[in-house]
Amino acid sequence: MKENTNTARALLLPALVAAIFIALWTAIWRAGVFHQSAFPSPLAVVRGFGLEVATGRLLNDSVTSLFRVTCGFLLAVALGIPAGVWMGQKLSARLAFLPMTNFFRNLSPLAWMPFAILWFGVGDAAAMFLIFLSVFFPVVLATMAAVGTIPLVYFHVAQNYGLRRFEKLTRVTLPAIMPQVITTLRVTAGVAWLVDVAAEMIAGRDGLGFAVMDARNGLRTDLLVVEMIVIGIIGVLIDRLLVQLTNVPSVRWGYER
Amino acid sequence: MTGCLELTNVSVSFEAVEVIRELSLAIVQGEFVAVVGPSGCGKTTLLNLVAGFERPSSGSVECHGQVRMVYQEDGLFPWATVTENIALGLRHIGDRRERKRQIGDLLRLIRIEGFEHHYPRQLSGGMRQLVELARALAGGSDVLLMDEPFSALDYLTRLRMRNELARLLSEMPRTAVLVTHDIEEAAQLADRVVVLTQRPARIRHEFTISTPRPREPTDFAVVDAVRRILAELDVESGTEASTK
């Protein structure tokens, strides 16, 4: 009974907030606070949505953007985790590379934009390059830190039970850092999505970021809002997808202590 | 002979800190030795020497056979189930069916059937320590080292765990070294209680408890041994800080 009311509340309350938001939006539009060309009505956005879906452009742009973010993200993770493990285990590697890694971690990937365009031209590769930079360095640092906090006792156990070097990696180090790595993946996937949109706005000929700029250039504020809504929803869905990783039984321990 | 271990004139220093000074201790196969002493006196270092995690600065450590250590808490891999953790102790058994059979036997022995696929965090503290004991006893290991295995548990659970440990060792006899703060635990479980000095650790006194195991905490031999050990530590007269 209690659970039912809670489920109902979890659906009703956000719906109520959304309704109030749309009502406010409509009120501001009706009051004419902003010029009509600078402020679309909710209805115009719904019509714009229908148009974008019908022409297939919305789907195309979404797929393009998701493709870029997926490739850039996966490549950064595939290289970042091994690099982080290496730096976490080897003091000399850490001493050598940590300052540089920190530097690039704190350098906005968007600052690379001019070079990205010069080197890779306008298109997939430039966006992927920027996404890679935005994910790789945080993943390296988080993985390295996670390796550093693995309790020594697990390695003693590994030695006691005769685990060899490679097994220590696969059966102790990697499972021990997995909860923290997953948290980092969630954060960096969000960043990657932000960077992708920004990259496409400047260095794109397609994708949702480009669609935003295109709508602006065409003074189609209705389409602009359509793109914004889709960008936001996809961002939420990416996080929902990655949050599933935290439900894998062998990593739950990291979130329940 | 497997299962016996011998420390001869062992000294250990970490940089400027001398932890153990010229300590000699011989333990025969099947013997249960408890090591008690002040906090930070080097008891854990002693176990780490035997386990091979640390090397002596001088002297020799000889240990024959397969050594396994049980920790105070969190010795189990939290990312592995009860079965997977116990299977770690049976890695050398090639035949899968045989491995499975032995895991089943061990689960029955520690009486936690039904929890095979649970993770450590889903078990009580006492159950976790039982699983760790089973993992350490698995696959015919020879020497069981225990570093305050029950000190994170409440008193009644601790009493029950002593009985469980005694029962497991009667079924699967091992040479055992127990490091503990709990003098009653030492007196109830061990054949011999070694009392260490303040750091750098030397052997201050040894007590042999000849009444056969298993014993109850209220047995005369246990109570008497506790009294003698406390007297040796000057705790009863209150002249020395407690051992915690």
Side-chain angles (χ1 to χ4, degrees), chain A residues 153-154 156-164 167 171-172 175-176 249-250 252-253 256-257, chain B residues 48 51-53 66-69 71 74-79 88-89 91 119 121 135-136:
Chain A
V153 71
Y154 296 145
H156 278 170
V157 170
Q159 189 182 332
N160 237 194
Y161 290 84
L163 266 61
R164 283 176 239 287
E167 288 173 312
R171 300 191 57 177
V172 179
S250 63
R252 283 306 310 160
W253 62 275
E256 288 180 9
R257 270 210 279 208
Chain B
N48 284 342
F53 301 148
Q66 170 99 64
V67 179
R68 300 265 176 82
M69 180 107 99
Y71 300 87
D74 297 330
L76 294 174
F77 288 159
W79 51 83
L88 201 61
R91 282 159 34 83
Y119 285 85
R121 73 192 151 80
R135 183 177 75 177

Side-chain angles (χ1 to χ4, degrees), chain B residues 204 226-243:
Chain B
R204 172 169 179 162
V226 169
R227 191 186 53 71
R228 283 186 293 150
I229 296 166
L230 290 179
E232 173 62 32
L233 288 168
D234 293 334
V235 174
E236 286 199 312
S237 55
T239 52
E240 194 184 44
S242 78
T243 58

Side-chain angles (χ1 to χ4, degrees), chain A residues 96-114:
Chain A
F97 288 102
L98 186 55
M100 191 69 99
T101 311
N102 263 321
F103 172 78
F104 283 118
R105 159 79 180 86
N106 288 292
L107 173 62
S108 167
L110 298 178
W112 285 94
M113 189 87 74

Side-chain angles (χ1 to χ4, degrees), chain B residues 50-167:
Chain B
V50 178
F53 301 148
E54 278 160 29
R55 286 173 199 287
S57 313
S58 65
S60 73
V61 178
E62 267 188 73
C63 182
H64 304 278
Q66 170 99 64
V67 179
R68 300 265 176 82
M69 180 107 99
V70 172
Y71 300 87
Q72 184 177 337
E73 52 184 345
D74 297 330
L76 294 174
F77 288 159
W79 51 83
T81 61
V82 166
T83 301
E84 289 163 353
N85 265 293
I86 293 179
L88 201 61
L90 298 164
R91 282 159 34 83
H92 54 284
I93 296 173
D95 182 31
R96 242 180 100 180
R97 289 230 303 279
E98 173 61 17
R99 210 160 52 216
K100 212 171 157 190
R101 192 188 64 74
Q102 291 202 23
I103 289 172
D105 287 350
L106 284 161
L107 289 169
R108 260 189 303 284
L109 187 65
I110 59 172
R111 301 179 181 134
I112 67 159
E113 296 116 306
F115 291 89
E116 296 90 329
H117 303 299
H118 283 56
Y119 285 85
R121 73 192 151 80
Q122 298 167 313
L123 308 178
S124 69
M127 285 163 89
R128 279 203 291 271
Q129 294 312 91
L130 277 177
V131 173
E132 208 183 324
L133 274 170
R135 183 177 75 177
L137 293 169
S141 58
D142 303 295
V143 178
L144 183 63
L145 306 177
M146 291 167 282
D147 191 1
E148 301 184 34
F150 309 142
S151 65
L153 306 172
D154 65 86
Y155 184 66
L156 288 178
T157 309
R158 226 146 64 206
L159 288 184
R160 214 173 55 236
M161 291 298 292
R162 288 183 207 164
N163 291 336
E164 289 292 307
L165 175 59
R167 184 175 64 85

